[in-house]
Amino acid sequence: IQNQPKNIVLYVTSNRRHLMPRDMIENERSSAIHTDESVEEKISLSDRFGLWIGFHNISQDDFKKIIENMKIDLFVNRIRSYHPLTKENLIKMSENVTEVSKDILPDEKLDCVVYGCTSGTIASGYDSIKNKINLAKPGARVVTPSSAAVNALRKMKVKKVSIFTPYSEKLNNEVVDYFKKENFIITSNSYFDILYDNDIAKIDPDYLYEVITKMDLAEAEAIFLSCTNLPALNIVDKLEKKLNKIVLSSNQVLIWDT
């Protein structure tokens, strides 16, 4: 932190995301009727203590890296997410899309609005997201990772696709079903079974690279790495050289289609 104003004092007390410990096994043995309430109760403890700043590998950084020498103005707003990652919670998140879009340069026209959530768009549906954004920004082109992936695959005339996601089995299957409905042949699929968005951002890119290279990709023409929070963009080129396959990530296709 540089040039800190004299009227601001920054206290750093812990690098822990949650004040109560959490283990991955909790995802598997949870018996709560409303699991999201149990999760939010634990997370709320960390929200009771002053300012909470989170730094995650999200699409904003990837966008900035690619467009830094282009004549493009990038404006960003955040939307509240709900845990664990389920279709119901992703739809719940989308309920705030209009309000969040409206707060990006209020009353100003935008050429394009990007909704940076792959599974969230699949859960809610592209038309639903587009309509909500256009209520706040009429006439703006709306781009999402899932629709961008379809556009990119069709542009390259790819039919057979392998899909990797970091999601739970149920959410992973919904992503696979989406591409099947778009008339792609899914040759193989793998997933991490992660329930929390923040944990996806913490995945080691080197570990992700090793996992992808061990997938059965013999029949695939391309592999799609789903999730804008997955730190995949920096390993795409390395994967393509290793696998001799087309490799697409959510942020990559999102930026391309934008």
Side-chain angles (χ1 to χ4, degrees):
I1 298 176
Q2 297 179 346
N3 299 324
Q4 179 180 328
K6 294 181 180 180
N7 62 334
I8 292 181
V9 178
L10 180 65
Y11 291 95
V12 180
T13 58
S14 173
N15 64 351
R16 192 182 185 89
R17 167 64 179 88
H18 302 288
L19 296 182
M20 293 182 64
R22 270 181 42 220
D23 298 303
M24 289 297 292
I25 192 64
E26 293 180 33
N27 300 345
E28 302 174 12
R29 66 186 180 203
S30 176
S31 59
I33 294 177
H34 299 290
T35 54
D36 56 329
E37 292 182 359
S38 299
V39 172
E40 291 295 338
E41 183 177 2
K42 284 190 175 184
I43 293 177
S44 67
L45 285 175
S46 65
D47 291 336
R48 296 175 188 169
F49 295 86
L51 180 66
W52 167 34
I53 306 177
F55 298 91
H56 310 300
N57 293 319
I58 59 170
S59 53
Q60 177 182 346
D61 293 333
D62 290 338
F63 260 90
K64 289 170 66 177
K65 184 184 301 182
I66 291 177
I67 71 171
E68 61 181 352
N69 294 320
M70 300 181 185
K71 295 181 179 180
I72 298 174
D73 293 323
L74 176 66
F75 304 92
V76 179
N77 201 3
R78 305 295 176 85
I79 191 168
R80 180 182 179 183
S81 60
Y82 300 89
H83 294 115
L85 289 172
T86 63
K87 180 176 182 179
E88 293 74 21
N89 279 338
L90 290 168
I91 292 174
K92 182 179 180 181
M93 178 176 71
S94 73
E95 294 173 357
N96 298 317
V97 166
T98 301
E99 179 182 353
V100 171
S101 300
K102 187 176 182 180
D103 287 339
I104 303 175
L105 293 184
D107 302 321
E108 293 291 333
K109 180 182 177 182
L110 294 176
D111 296 313
C112 181
V113 177
V114 172
Y115 185 63
C117 185
T118 316
S119 55
T121 307
I122 291 173
S124 302
Y126 174 81
D127 289 340
S128 175
I129 297 297
K130 181 180 184 300
N131 291 338
K132 286 182 172 67
I133 290 175
N134 285 151
L135 283 175
K137 299 295 180 182
R141 180 168 177 262
V142 176
V143 179
T144 71
S146 52
S147 60
V150 169
N151 291 340
L153 290 168
R154 288 175 177 165
K155 178 75 173 180
M156 292 182 285
K157 297 180 171 32
V158 170
K159 292 290 185 180
K160 298 179 180 180
V161 185
S162 179
I163 294 178
F164 176 85
T165 84
Y167 316 126
S168 65
E169 180 180 11
K170 186 175 182 181
L171 202 56
N172 169 81
N173 292 342
E174 289 171 357
V175 173
V176 172
D177 288 342
Y178 167 80
F179 283 93
K180 286 181 178 179
K181 290 176 182 177
E182 294 292 337
N183 297 317
F184 293 101
I185 299 171
I186 309 304
T187 60
S188 63
N189 170 230
S190 185
Y191 58 94
F192 274 152
D193 202 18
I194 297 176
L195 294 179
Y196 304 95
D197 202 39
N198 293 334
D199 291 333
I200 295 174
K202 298 174 185 176
I203 296 171
D204 180 13
D206 292 332
Y207 175 66
L208 177 62
Y209 173 84
E210 292 299 324
V211 170
I212 301 302
T213 57
K214 293 177 181 178
M215 288 181 64
D216 180 9
L217 304 173
E219 298 182 15
E221 298 170 301
I223 178 170
F224 174 62
L225 311 179
S226 181
C227 190
T228 54
N229 222 20
L230 191 69
L233 187 64
N234 290 333
I235 63 171
V236 166
D237 185 58
K238 184 180 176 182
L239 282 170
E240 288 192 328
K241 291 176 180 177
K242 172 72 173 180
L243 302 172
N244 196 28
K245 303 279 185 180
I246 297 170
V247 180
L248 302 176
S249 74
S250 284
N251 286 338
Q252 178 193 35
V253 296
L254 190 65
I255 297 167
W256 167 78
D257 205 21
T258 301

